Amino acid sequence: MPPIELPLLERDRELAALSAVIGELGSGRPAVVTVTGEPGLGQNDLLRWAAAYATDAGVRVLSAHATPAEHEVRYGVVAQLLAEENRALAPRLFLTDEQPGGLPGLNGLLNAVRDRPTLLVVRDTQWLDPASLRWLEALARRLPRAPVALLTSTTGTALTRPEWSVGTPLTGLATTIELALPPLTSGGTATAVLRAFGAPGDPAFTEALAEATRGIPAVVHDVLDRFARAGHSPRADRIDPLRALTAEVVGDHATRALSDLRDPAAVDALRALAVCGDLLDFPLVCTLAGPHSVSESRLRAALAASGLTTLRDGHPRVQDAVVRARVLEEMPAADRAELYARAAGLAQRVAADDQGIADLLLLARPVGDPWAVDTLRRGFTSALRGGRRDLAVAYLARALDEPLAAEDRARIEFQLASVEMVTAPAAAERRLGGLIRATRPGPGLRARATDLCLLGGDTRAARHALAGAIDSAPAAPEPRRGPTGVPAVPPEAKPASTPRTHLVPHRPYAGTPPGATGPDGRRSAAPGLPGTPRAHDAPRSPGPEAAGRPDIAGPDEDPAVAERHELTVLCRVASFLRHDDADLDVLPVPALPDAVHNPAVAGVWAWEHGVAGVHREEVRRLARSAFVPAATGRPLLVVPRLLGCRALLLTDDGDEAENHLGALLDESHRERAAISVAHILTVRAELHIRHGRPDAAARDLAAAQAELPLDRLHPLFLPYWLALSMITDLQNGHTERARETAARPLPPLAHESATTAQLLFARGVLARTDDEPHLAREHFRACGRWLLRHGCVNPAVQPWRSLAAEAAHTLGDTEEAARLVDEEVRLARRWGAAAPLGRAQLSLAVVTEENRIENLRAAVTTLGAASARTAYTRAVIELAAVEREENERRTAVALGPAATVLPPVAPPPGPHVPSAAARPPGPRPAVLTGRRTAKAPGHDAAVWHGLTTVERETAALAAQGLGNREIATELAVTTRAVELRLSGVYRKLRIRGREELRALVQEAEGS
């Protein structure tokens, strides 16, 4: 494929001016024309066109081309001009000694052109040698006496500006024109695309081409030529290849311009400008370039003539990143790193912008001064504030190249890993693993690194960290215990008026925990009562010295012991999140330490006893002590405090938990720990869901995903996040979005997490919303099995029993419903918090007819004191509906005959159905509804014995096979009202569900 040819686009004004100058030469009118502009705008193309035009017009043309290689060759351009007129003179120009006022060949040229008009064409006058420059200036002074036109081109500002370019009095009698070439407009670029491809390009393609090439005709030509050779077409979907190709072309043009730049001072200045030209003024750039005898003005001219720089705010600047890269890649790597280091030092001395200095340090050799690390850390903070995590990571990684004290290095490693947990989790885990294995990583840093690993989903790190701590630390003294051998709450976290209650350490259970009933109905033999020893608990003998002594360990805990305690509780949290006991290289889960004066231990103690559903007051005090700083000044860990907040949610202390979460969120923001921020926001979203604030929950979940996108979230936490999103969407009315979340595929590791129970519960709620009781019951049962496997007995964690009972009740399985709801009420009463107890009482009223109104009133009273506003609202609505139905039933009984069997079902009088008084005697007609006819048994009224009118209508429609939603639409009631009516029907008729109801109706009809 031959190269494409483009005409001189958008140069009509210049062509007209040159045509006029050449035409006036026949009249003996001399002229000086200078064509200027940055490289690539087509100056030399215009000069070539003018030379051809003048030749066709009979004008003699003498041409020359100045080059950087001949910049020091005396009379190099003059020799090219005179070579055609006097070939013998040209060689002598280089041998003749320079004489004052000597201008060899000038008079001969002037005498030769008197009889014939002549056009002198000199290209790239910015590279004129000094002798040729003086010769051409002398010619310009003599132009009024000869029919000669001098046509020159230049790029930028010449090294020494010729006199003819400024309109001096010596050229006043000649026509002086300066043509400054502009870049191509969008229209000119579109014309170039049309000429190159023979068809117009897409507007988006043309706009991208004009932006990438800046309208430089030479770049446009080369880009279109290569683009066409590559087989592309000017479509909008080819913009990315276009931009990549343009960067390559611009780089090639920059490389050619660099090869033409021969002045060492200009090269050094250009490199210094490429390094820090956007940060420092040009005089400081010249200082950085090194001591040279070249003046600043000459350096400015040389850089402008190269075409590699542009003027911004009066100072030279390198054009773009592509040119900057080509300028610097010619340097050896060591020299380049040295230049960046010297530039950073100079910028630091003149108090330049911290971000700019940090950018310089990224590519510099190690400086070795403390200011470098401080600047990089400030740049890290600024980059995180601007949302540039990748740049922030680069700053801290560069800071690690500087000489640092061991403690400072460990601290920076930890800070870097906290950001890499979002951007590069694998790298963060390796970095944290190094901190965990370090001999002396710093006070509390091993525990903090393990804590961060857990937030990132690395559950094995906690066990390895604990093993390392056991191997490297001296044996810890056995903590003092109270008379019962159990740990105590620190005095600063306990109200003085509260009586003391001792705890029994709780451990996850492989099966159903003691005192609980599993989904299959089998109950554990060992009751989970306070103070009852278990077979798997280690024996505790307090010793005689503990008698009568307060059960509090000393606040001056040894740092090694404190670290072991913290790593132990983190190890237990890791085991709770994911059971991996089958791995041979992992230590078994240790017992929970008793040193609850350690905040981390207190937080995990609170959570474990909270999910076990025992000792609510003690759990509350333990959770509060998780936020009390230790007397030793050890930093507080994030995971135990999050568990402390979740324990406070179980104890109905939501407002207190929200305050702690807010403080924890502020702390994580200050430390720029994105992964901690994300987890804190997620726990706060759960708090909002429990308190009936779905809008606030949606905002927190959105903010959490902005900090840690779901595709970067560890699979162990994915079910929990998805569950919260589903519940939030359901509460906000976005059912379809909740269905999409429920259908999202999960990675295999997500099914090994304790948080899977949360997702199963959310799917059950979705099935309940979709009126699928079978599916809802299965999800709630699976949720219960998963929670019990991990030792979660407390109904405050998830009320799966009550919702499974309601689903079973809807399906007619009253025995299972009663068993589950009784279990929920018993466990809720044992726990004692208002919210779970009120929800259990509400479910009890739903699934049992006996004392329904009393149970509903108790639920309303209990939930009125709790923060679960959604459950409270539902209880109030249920109570109002049942009280209204009860009033209607009593009224109907009072007005009807005194018989146990209620009258046959009849629709209320209306425009389409006659009243009972107007209806003629005979067989009872079918029950009419909005769109269907509910045929009920006629003469055999004993089938409906004991049912109310509304129950008969509902039962008749259900016997026909209608679903709950369809029945609700027919009767203009809610789906929940249909469920309650059918539950009453099943209980009164002593049947288990729709199949038995249908069989009963068919038998009554004699079918």
Side-chain angles (χ1 to χ4, degrees), residues 31 41 74 123 243 294 329 393 401 448 465 505 559 578 607 648 695 702 716 771 833 845 895 910 977 999:
L41 289 179
R74 187 162 56 93
R123 289 175 287 168
R243 288 175 175 157
V294 182
E329 70 183 8
V393 167
D401 295 336
R448 294 186 68 191
R578 180 189 180 193
W607 172 249
L648 289 174
D695 293 341
L716 290 180
D771 195 17
L895 295 177

Side-chain angles (χ1 to χ4, degrees), residues 859-899:
V860 170
T861 302
T862 305
L863 290 172
S867 55
R869 308 318 299 167
T870 303
Y872 173 74
T873 303
R874 180 193 169 199
V876 171
I877 294 175
E878 294 282 0
L879 177 60
V882 172
E883 286 181 340
R884 184 180 64 180
E885 185 176 335
E886 182 68 17
N887 292 335
E888 292 176 355
R889 186 186 66 79
R890 289 175 180 174
T891 303
V893 170
L895 295 177

Side-chain angles (χ1 to χ4, degrees), residues 121 260 331:
V121 180
D260 292 339
M331 299 179 65

Side-chain angles (χ1 to χ4, degrees), residues 183-502:
L184 295 179
T185 63
S186 298
T189 307
T191 303
V193 174
L194 176 62
R195 296 293 183 91
F197 293 95
D202 290 345
F205 178 88
T206 303
E207 182 180 355
L209 177 63
E211 179 184 357
T213 61
R214 298 189 299 119
I216 306 299
V219 179
V220 172
H221 176 275
D222 289 353
V223 169
L224 292 179
D225 183 59
R226 297 189 191 183
F227 199 76
R229 287 175 179 274
H232 299 304
S233 56
R235 302 195 312 268
D237 59 348
R238 308 307 299 165
I239 289 179
D240 289 340
L242 171 71
R243 288 175 175 157
L245 188 59
T246 303
E248 181 181 344
V249 170
V250 170
D252 293 343
H253 282 236
T255 301
R256 286 196 294 269
L258 276 172
S259 64
D260 292 339
L261 194 61
R262 302 299 181 89
D263 188 352
V267 172
D268 291 342
L270 182 62
R271 290 172 174 174
L273 199 63
V275 168
C276 59
D278 295 335
L279 185 64
L280 302 178
D281 294 337
F282 190 68
L284 291 174
V285 171
C286 295
T287 302
L288 178 65
H292 292 289
S293 59
V294 182
S295 64
E296 180 183 330
S297 60
R298 184 175 177 84
L299 286 176
R300 284 176 177 268
L303 294 175
S306 69
L308 299 172
T309 62
T310 57
L311 278 180
R312 290 198 299 268
D313 301 329
H315 295 284
R317 298 285 188 268
V318 177
Q319 283 182 358
D320 52 31
V322 176
V323 176
R324 183 180 294 109
R326 290 298 179 99
V327 169
L328 294 176
E329 70 183 8
E330 300 293 331
M331 299 179 65
D335 295 345
R336 185 166 57 246
E338 176 65 26
L339 180 60
Y340 271 103
R342 290 194 290 111
L346 179 60
Q348 194 271 338
R349 287 195 295 273
V350 299
D353 178 60
D354 279 341
Q355 191 87 28
I357 302 175
D359 290 338
L360 294 176
L361 289 171
L362 282 179
L363 300 172
R365 58 161 175 78
V367 176
D369 291 329
W371 63 264
V373 177
D374 295 339
T375 302
L376 287 167
R377 297 187 73 175
R378 288 194 297 269
F380 163 81
T381 302
S382 178
L384 281 185
R385 190 180 298 116
R388 294 289 309 277
R389 290 197 180 109
D390 53 343
L391 187 59
V393 167
Y395 286 148
L396 279 194
R398 170 62 183 82
L400 293 174
D401 295 336
E402 297 289 332
L404 293 166
E407 186 173 336
D408 293 337
R409 180 174 297 277
R411 190 178 299 112
I412 292 177
E413 289 267 10
F414 176 80
Q415 194 174 20
L416 176 57
S418 67
V419 182
E420 285 181 333
M421 271 296 180
V422 178
T423 61
E429 290 178 6
R430 288 194 299 269
R431 198 177 300 279
L432 292 173
L435 290 177
I436 291 172
R437 292 188 297 271
T439 306
R440 297 183 182 275
L445 204 54
R446 179 182 282 117
R448 294 186 68 191
T450 309
D451 182 61
L452 188 57
C453 280
L454 278 185
L455 290 174
D458 184 8
T459 56
R460 294 170 59 88
R463 295 189 175 184
H464 291 305
L466 180 59
I470 293 175
D471 293 340
S472 61
E478 180 69 21
R480 292 176 298 179
R481 307 175 189 274
T484 58
V486 294
V489 182
E492 62 271 14
K494 288 176 53 179
S497 59
T498 305
R500 175 153 184 81
T501 305
H502 295 298

Side-chain angles (χ1 to χ4, degrees), residues 916-925:
R919 191 167 55 240
R924 183 170 55 91

Side-chain angles (χ1 to χ4, degrees), residues 598-685:
N598 188 310
V601 178
V604 178
W605 267 93
W607 172 249
E608 291 207 356
H609 284 273
V611 298
V614 292
H615 308 295
R616 182 167 60 95
E617 290 302 322
E618 194 75 5
V619 167
R620 177 182 286 121
R621 287 192 290 270
L622 284 169
R624 288 169 178 168
S625 67
F627 302 93
V628 179
T632 56
R634 292 180 63 83
L636 296 177
L637 304 181
V638 176
V639 170
R641 282 186 285 174
L642 282 178
L643 293 178
C645 289
R646 296 190 67 184
L648 289 174
L649 292 183
L650 302 182
T651 60
D652 277 359
D653 295 299
D655 293 339
E656 185 177 352
E658 190 168 7
N659 292 334
H660 288 308
L661 287 171
L664 190 54
L665 189 63
D666 291 341
E667 175 188 319
S668 298
H669 274 303
R670 287 194 302 270
E671 295 181 354
R672 312 294 175 185
I675 193 166
S676 299
V677 170
H679 282 286
I680 295 166
L681 288 171
T682 308
V683 174
R684 196 169 70 174

